Amino acid sequence: MKYRQWKKNYKKKYGANPPFELDKRKQRRYARKMARQINITLPTMMETLTKEIDGWMKSLKSALTTMCESMAITLNDIAEHLREEREEKIK
């Protein structure tokens, strides 16, 4: 009854229903509605996000593999070049 009286007095004083910012009951109802909606959409969003992260990690893994192989080849060539220089100095 208290809410009803408050709302009627507000409407009588200002000529309109109270705005959302002042109406605690509307805020609670809206919060419950959003919570239900989040409970429905959250698992779907998490599933999509997990799939995207998994795909990103697979592409990152292949890129890192390629980079490491290239670095290994480059370092092997440098080591071979340094060995040749050392052997030339020894002779």
Side-chain angles (χ1 to χ4, degrees), residues 21-34:
E21 295 81 24
L22 295 178
D23 197 341
K24 301 296 181 192
R25 185 178 281 184
K26 281 183 183 179
Q27 291 174 4
R28 286 192 301 269
R29 284 182 180 173
Y30 183 75
R32 283 194 304 268
K33 182 180 177 182
M34 288 298 111

Side-chain angles (χ1 to χ4, degrees), residues 25-47:
R25 185 178 281 184
K26 281 183 183 179
Q27 291 174 4
R28 286 192 301 269
R29 284 182 180 173
Y30 183 75
R32 283 194 304 268
K33 182 180 177 182
M34 288 298 111
R36 283 192 300 269
Q37 197 170 4
I38 287 173
N39 287 338
I40 293 170
T41 59
L42 188 62
T44 309
M45 288 174 24
M46 291 304 294
E47 194 174 303

